Amino acid sequence: YTFGSRFMAIMAVRLTDITSIRAWIGYTNATGLQQLGSATPAFSYAAFRFDTGAGDANWQAICGNGASQTIANTSVAPSTTVTNILRIQWALDATSVLFYINNVLVATAVATLPAQSAALRQINSIQTLNTAQKFVVVSHIKTRMSSIA
């Protein structure tokens, strides 16, 4: 992404199981395996996380800058029956990242934002924390970048 541009990503997501699972949905400069390797990865990212190993009962809105992260509890639990619309949007002046679930603002991050030089890529990944097979159903992804407010 580019600071000074309005970057927005919308992902329609449903988890098929919410037990013993780590899920990352958003943008990162890590590979999927690197991001999934930890509840607190040392990379740059803006993403939603659901990780029962970290004690998450709800989607967490998280920004990381490679050294530390800021976590906000969205108070919205993931669903196995209903698709959640997850949206991540950078402010035009690049001073904050806004997190929405089902078109409701659930968190605003102003600290530990991804580095301006970070080359971020889409991540929609899950990892089972036991031996059971898990799936994430992504029905659509929309990405938009604009310099218009």
Side-chain angles (χ1 to χ4, degrees):
Y1 72 100
T2 303
F3 277 86
S5 295
R6 182 178 300 274
F7 180 82
M8 180 176 64
I10 301 171
M11 295 128 319
V13 175
R14 180 177 57 83
L15 302 178
T16 60
D17 188 336
I18 56 172
T19 60
S20 299
I21 189 170
R22 176 179 297 136
W24 284 99
I25 311 293
Y27 284 82
T28 181
N29 69 343
T31 66
L33 288 176
Q34 290 170 326
Q35 190 77 24
L36 283 171
S38 174
T40 59
F43 297 98
S44 290
Y45 51 90
F48 287 95
R49 182 193 78 196
F50 179 71
D51 186 342
T52 57
D56 298 347
N58 300 312
W59 286 111
Q60 306 298 305
I62 304 180
C63 278
N65 63 10
S68 59
Q69 66 178 5
T70 302
I71 303 173
N73 184 344
T74 68
S75 299
V76 178
S79 175
T80 59
T81 58
V82 176
T83 299
N84 289 131
I85 307 299
L86 307 179
R87 181 170 93 195
I88 301 171
Q89 182 173 328
W90 275 258
L92 188 60
D93 62 2
T95 60
S96 62
V97 177
L98 294 86
F99 292 85
Y100 295 82
I101 298 179
N102 301 324
N103 293 319
V104 175
L105 180 65
V106 293
T108 301
V110 296
T112 66
L113 301 182
Q116 292 185 24
S117 60
L120 302 181
R121 64 181 68 100
Q122 175 78 41
I123 183 171
N124 295 309
S125 298
I126 61 168
Q127 176 179 340
T128 183
L129 300 178
N130 60 18
T131 58
Q133 193 172 22
K134 313 286 181 170
F135 297 97
V136 59
V137 178
V138 180
S139 59
H140 76 269
I141 300 169
K142 178 182 179 181
T143 304
R144 183 185 82 168
M145 185 179 286
S146 171
S147 59
I148 300 170

